[in-house]
């Protein structure tokens, strides 16, 4: 799938590697997890906790909680507020969070 | 959480946008122990987002207004204020104890005065299909642009009203991004006269020729005026945007991205949770805290500055931040502040006269604020307009009774994305005013924190007695 | 005088709505007079347990009443669903009261023994459970849990949906629900019947039922009744939704049908429900994670506090006035647990005009300072 967003050519920041559902993704240093996911071209839609319908980030500023994602094993984190880090493991959430995750 | 220098501060400021930066810098410079807390990775808030980290290093790209932020940031850096990024304030109680979450741990800090500078958020835009993946706020696109240098690369529709919409479209186009259609929802008549005027307020070296940019957008983007209905359609993903104009013309466009914007409103959750009184602003159609001339709320010692106090824009935010900080210091008996306070008040009066961000005075049309049919109102709990009208029929008299019936506002966003819609929708359904309907009762935590963070806080014997019995 | 309304129920919370729904179901013309959106409402702040164990220690008829309530709940839930299509998720898997140390265990043992010593209801079934047995039912418990008491009658329900179902049901029965109608005064009429003065004018009814929670204390003297209340504040924590992991309700911890985890509860002699106290949440959170360590990483999304409706001795009060027959009062803490009895049993008694001997023990005559005007139907008979 072509990504909805692309980096402008002027963006010369170094990249780093994160893993999205186990798959290696190059992200730019300084990007938030949500920005990296939206630029990845992967299907990064999560399922809502109530009816399981697909959702993507809406506000990108910490308000809407549509960007919830599992980061390094911890569920329901706001991906739009957390910068990517080398080796970070991101999982797209399917429905409600599991206890212990 | 051991990163903080102290458990006690003269002033705690929440939010490192223009108002928070100005408040913290002014207070610390005057000798107050000052802590500035912000939940983002870097300072700047929304308007100066990515100030220290944006990949758009060519200064023309974001304009003078953006880079002016560096001057304010420099003042903050040299003031001696302690700044903690990625710190979420989840509680403020009437004794001015502040609950802070940082790096997975929480801590309570005692403040003598607090300035809440949590800024604005975009007004909810509840159209059919607005929960589909691919529907975002225009502000979200601007955030992606400023902090990550990301622009839309697929067929894109932008919809709503106000100069920010045009500004963003211009920025995206200039950086090689894609905007195909603009759906202008400004009601017929109001628009033509107001737009050039509004652009006057946004004039910067970068956009000095606002009308030129307007022409530029017009030359590259198909503009549909007087749009009265918008629907996002698709199966699990935005596939097309459908619209209708005041003239009854219908149109549609295959698209994977729809950017929505109809102005910004104060982000009031934290201030409201302290018990501070808020009033309905009939002009800006939102709640704003009841403040005295110093920016102090009805809760002694708690101030609100910036767009959270009522939308005013950068200049007003900076001035309000300085007024609140200096008034707070004066009330703490920090001598020699009175002159500074009157200077700050003069700055505020001047900034207010400028009345930036006229876009907020554009009243979004009712059909885009008060949805009909089964359009989702509460995104988290998936509550629809029709559900809310049915609940009113069985006797729901306000947002809190509505919560009991439908769970509206009880999800993780804690009513931020549905609160205004619920108030206005219930007011209309019950034939009364938003003031009469009121708002959700908000309580700590205003942002989620883990159970262990809560459990790891110090145990008070009184509290143990209240629970273990 | 002919009345438009057979009964005016004062209070539209779970208690008032249950009684009103029961009356409307019996064909009575009911008007419910309620307050506005921002008032203290126990119906919005309860823990949603249908809970029997330990209730009525010191008052055996209350223990019986609670067991009977649990037995009536399935029929009540079914009637609500049949009428409104709303599943209120009543479940009765039995419930545990968890003990985190030997002192708590010993104290709980004494409660259990006390219930039997005072004459427990038939089939009461309350018993202590060892840690080993508990692990079979609750494999996720933490190492500090030493045991529990268990009652097969305990369960839980979606109380907010019950509340909504009652209100939808009231509307379907043609009852007249009026929010923003706080009652200021009630005047018994010489020829029978009552005039209620509300913030929005007069309402007349042949009978009146006071179901205004702690507000009953103020209203009861208007009609020769007595409702000595002793409210306290309680605080609750709720987490984000998680997949089902907890299949039994515990006294202070339960997973809702929606997936959230509710953690209770506190008791403070403070009557401001506008704030929640972080230190109280800390203690509750600590107990919850010691019970289930896996809860540690869950996000807390809300805390709230509510003012408990509580009579001075903690037991329900049901009475009919002797000086103004047709005026009834109902006060109790357990508006969720007892909803079935209020809807199916108490409503019928009120329609019939007398509470009957079975409810005599619940008369406020038991308080030393009760007025002489009090009557219970057994005394009237």
């Amino acid at each position: 799938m072509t990504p909805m967003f692309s980096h402008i050519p002027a963006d010369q920041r170094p990249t780093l590697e994160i893993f999205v559902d186990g798959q290696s993704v190059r992200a730019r240093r300084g990007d938030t997890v949500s920005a990296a996911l939206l630029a990845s071209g992967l299907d990064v839609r999560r399922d809502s906790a109530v009816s399981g319908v697909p959702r993507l980030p809406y506000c990108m500023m910490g308000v809407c909680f549509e960007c919830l994602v599992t980061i390094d094993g911890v569920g329901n984190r706001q991906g739009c507020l957390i910068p990517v880090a080398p080796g970070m493991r991101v999982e797209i959430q399917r429905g409600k969070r599991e206890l212990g995750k | 959480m051991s990163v903080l220098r102290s458990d006690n501060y003269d002033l705690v400021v929440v939010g490192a946008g223009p108002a928070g930066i100005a408040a913290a810098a002014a207070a610390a410079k005057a000798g107050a122990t000052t802590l500035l807390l912000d939940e983002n990775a870097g300072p700047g808030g929304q308007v100066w987002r990515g100030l220290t980290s944006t990949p758009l290093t060519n200064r023309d790209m974001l304009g003078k207004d953006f880079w002016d932020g560096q001057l304010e940031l420099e003042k903050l850096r040299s003031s001696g204020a302690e700044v903690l990024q990625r710190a979420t304030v989840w509680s403020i109680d009437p004794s001015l104890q502040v609950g802070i979450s940082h790096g997975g741990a929480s801590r309570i800090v005692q403040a003598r005065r607090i300035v809440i500078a949590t800024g604005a958020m975009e007004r909810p835009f509840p159209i059919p299909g607005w929960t589909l993946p691919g529907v975002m706020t225009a502000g979200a696109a601007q955030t992606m642009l400023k902090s990550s240098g990301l622009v839309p690369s697929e067929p894109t529709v932008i919809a709503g009203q106000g100069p920010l919409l045009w500004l963003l479209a211009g920025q995206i186009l200039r950086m090689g991004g894609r905007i195909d259609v603009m759906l202008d929802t400004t009601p017929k008549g109001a628009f033509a006269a107001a737009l050039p005027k509004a652009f006057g307020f946004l004039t910067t070296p970068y956009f000095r020729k606002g009308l030129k940019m307007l022409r530029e957008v017009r030359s590259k983007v198909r503009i549909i005026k007087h749009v009265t209905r918008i629907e996002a359609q698709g199966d699990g993903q935005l596939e097309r945007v459908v619209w209708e104009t005041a003239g009854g013309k219908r149109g549609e466009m295959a698209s994977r991205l729809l950017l929505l914007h109809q102005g910004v409103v104060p982000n009031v959750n934290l201030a409201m949770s302290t018990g501070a009184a808020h009033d309905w602003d009939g002009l800006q159609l939102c709640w704003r805290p009841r403040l005295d001339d110093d920016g102090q709320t009805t809760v002694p010692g708690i101030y609100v500055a910036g767009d959270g106090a009522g939308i005013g824009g950068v200049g007003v935010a900076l001035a309000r931040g300085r007024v609140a900080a200096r008034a707070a210091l004066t009330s703490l008996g920090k001598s020699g502040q009175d002159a500074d306070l009157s200077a700050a008040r003069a700055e505020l009066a001047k900034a207010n006269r400028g009345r930036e961000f006229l876009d907020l005075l554009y009243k979004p049309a009712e059909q885009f604020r008060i949805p009909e049919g089964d359009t989702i109102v509460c995104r988290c709990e998936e509550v629809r307009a029709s559900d809310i009208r049915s609940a009113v029929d069985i006797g729901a008299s306000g947002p809190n009774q509505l919560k009991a019936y439908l769970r509206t506002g009880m999800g993780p966003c804690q009513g931020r994305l549905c609160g205004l819609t619920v108030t206005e929708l219930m007011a209309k359904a019950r034939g009364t005013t938003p003031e009469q309907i009121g708002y959700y009762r908000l309580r700590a935590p205003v942002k989620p924190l883990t159970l262990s963070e809560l459990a790891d806080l110090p145990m008070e014997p009184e509290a143990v007695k209240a629970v273990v019995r | 005088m002919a009345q438009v309304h057979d009964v005016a129920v004062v209070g539209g919370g779970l208690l008032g709505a249950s009684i009103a729904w029961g009356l409307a179901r019996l064909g009575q013309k009911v008007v419910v007079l309620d307050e506005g959106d921002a008032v203290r409402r126990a119906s919005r702040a309860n823990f949603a347990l249908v809970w029997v164990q330990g209730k009525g220690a010191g008052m055996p008829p209350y223990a019986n009443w609670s067991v009977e309530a649990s037995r009536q709940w399935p029929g009540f839930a079914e009637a609500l669903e049949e009428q409104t299509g709303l599943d209120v998720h009543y479940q009765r898997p039995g419930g545990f009261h968890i003990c985190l140390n030997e002192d708590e265990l010993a104290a709980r043992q004494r409660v259990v023994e006390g219930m039997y010593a005072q004459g427990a209801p038939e089939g009461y079934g309350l018993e202590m459970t060892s840690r080993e047995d508990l692990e079979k039912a609750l494999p996720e418990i933490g190492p500090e849990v030493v045991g529990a008491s268990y009652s097969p009658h305990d369960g839980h329900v979606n109380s907010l949906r019950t509340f909504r179902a009652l209100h939808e049901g009231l509307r379907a029965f043609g009852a007249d629900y009026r929010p923003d109608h706080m009652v200021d005064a009630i005047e018994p009429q010489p020829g029978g019947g009552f005039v209620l003065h509300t913030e929005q004018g007069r309402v007349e009814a042949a009978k009146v039922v006071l179901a205004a929670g702690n507000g009953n204390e103020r209203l009861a003297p208007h009609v020769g009744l007595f409702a000595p209340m002793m409210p306290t504040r309680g605080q609750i924590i709720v987490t984000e939704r998680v997949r089902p992991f907890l299949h039994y309700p515990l006294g202070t911890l339960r997973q809702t049908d929606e997936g959230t985890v509710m953690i209770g509860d506190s008791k403070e002699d403070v009557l401001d429900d506008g704030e929640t106290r972080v230190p109280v949440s800390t203690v509750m959170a600590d107990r919850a994670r010691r019970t289930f360590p896996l809860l540690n990483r869950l996000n807390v999304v809300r805390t709230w506090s509510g003012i408990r409706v509580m009579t001075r001795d903690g037991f329900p009060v049901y009475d009919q006035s002797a000086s103004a027959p047709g005026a009834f009062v109902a006060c109790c803490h357990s508006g969720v647990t007892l909803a079935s009895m209020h809807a199916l049993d108490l409503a019928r008694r009120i329609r019939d005009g007398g509470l009957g001997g079975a409810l005599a023990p619940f008369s406020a005559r038991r308080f030393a300072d009760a007025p002489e005007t009090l009557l219970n139907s057994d005394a009237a008979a």
Side-chain angles (χ1 to χ4, degrees), chain A residues 49-50 68 72-77 94-101, chain C residues 140 240-245 257-259 261 292 294-295 297-299:
Chain A
V50 175
L68 295 178
D72 291 332
V74 180
N76 274 359
R77 308 207 51 206
R94 305 290 172 211
K96 293 185 188 74
R97 184 178 174 183
E98 277 174 77
L99 193 65
K101 203 175 206 186
Chain C
E140 321 277 16
E240 62 197 351
R241 293 170 189 250
V242 279
R243 293 183 194 167
F245 76 97
D257 58 289
E258 285 128 351
V261 179
F292 290 110
L294 278 173
L295 294 175
R297 283 159 87 175
L298 272 196
N299 283 309

Side-chain angles (χ1 to χ4, degrees), chain B residues 93-336:
Chain B
D93 76 5
S95 62
L96 307 193
Q97 295 205 327
V98 183
I100 307 162
S101 173
H102 175 80
S106 270
R107 174 158 162 181
I108 304 286
V109 156
Q110 179 70 55
R112 297 178 71 199
R113 296 290 182 272
I114 294 170
V115 174
I116 295 174
T118 48
M121 51 173 271
E122 285 174 280
R123 178 188 296 283
F125 206 139
I127 55 164
W130 72 311
T131 54
L132 279 175
V135 182
M136 301 177 91
T137 68
Q142 200 173 36
T143 293
M144 309 257 287
L145 180 80
K146 286 179 185 171
S147 57
S148 300
L150 285 166
V151 290
S153 50
E154 287 274 301
T156 297
V157 177
I158 189 166
Q161 63 181 65
L164 182 75
L165 208 64
W166 292 79
L167 175 70
L168 177 67
Q171 284 178 327
I172 287 172
L173 291 171
R174 285 188 176 190
M175 291 184 210
R178 187 164 173 176
I179 303 279
D180 298 76
V181 171
M182 178 184 285
L183 303 177
D184 190 330
T185 60
T186 312
K188 214 165 184 171
F191 182 68
L195 187 71
K197 210 165 160 190
F199 260 94
F201 293 94
L202 283 173
T203 301
T204 65
Y206 172 49
F207 281 135
R208 186 166 290 137
K209 296 188 176 79
L211 287 170
K212 185 188 157 213
M213 195 210 61
L214 186 61
R215 279 196 297 274
E216 202 177 304
V217 172
R218 281 188 171 140
S219 71
K220 291 184 183 167
V221 176
R222 185 177 159 212
I223 314 283
I224 315 282
K225 282 188 173 186
H226 311 310
V227 171
T228 54
R229 202 178 70 85
I230 304 172
E231 198 170 321
Q233 297 179 348
D235 182 12
Q237 166 75 42
L238 179 69
E239 289 163 11
R240 78 200 139 273
V241 181
V242 177
W243 63 83
E244 198 176 312
T245 68
K249 278 191 188 153
R250 290 166 188 233
E252 70 170 76
M253 152 98 190
S255 171
R256 280 180 60 210
L257 186 61
L258 169 62
L259 304 174
L260 298 173
H261 176 84
Q262 51 178 351
V264 296
V265 293
N267 190 352
V268 292
N269 273 48
L270 181 60
M272 272 195 180
S273 76
T274 68
H278 283 64
D279 298 308
W280 180 256
D281 182 330
L283 186 62
Q284 297 191 358
L285 302 174
C286 58
W287 298 101
R288 56 195 288 176
R290 192 179 302 160
L291 303 175
D292 65 15
D293 288 344
D294 294 334
Q296 187 169 210
T297 66
T298 55
V299 180
I302 299 180
Y303 298 72
V304 178
D307 276 355
I311 303 303
V314 178
V316 176
L318 289 168
R320 276 181 181 153
R322 288 191 261 268
V323 167
R326 284 170 184 154
L329 261 59
T330 303
S331 73
L332 286 174
K334 301 261 170 189
S335 58

Side-chain angles (χ1 to χ4, degrees), chain A residues 2-18:
Chain A
T2 45
M4 281 192 283
F5 290 88
S6 301
H7 285 280
I8 59 168
D11 179 7
Q12 294 298 322
R13 292 170 299 165
T15 64
L16 52 82
E17 183 180 37
I18 63 169

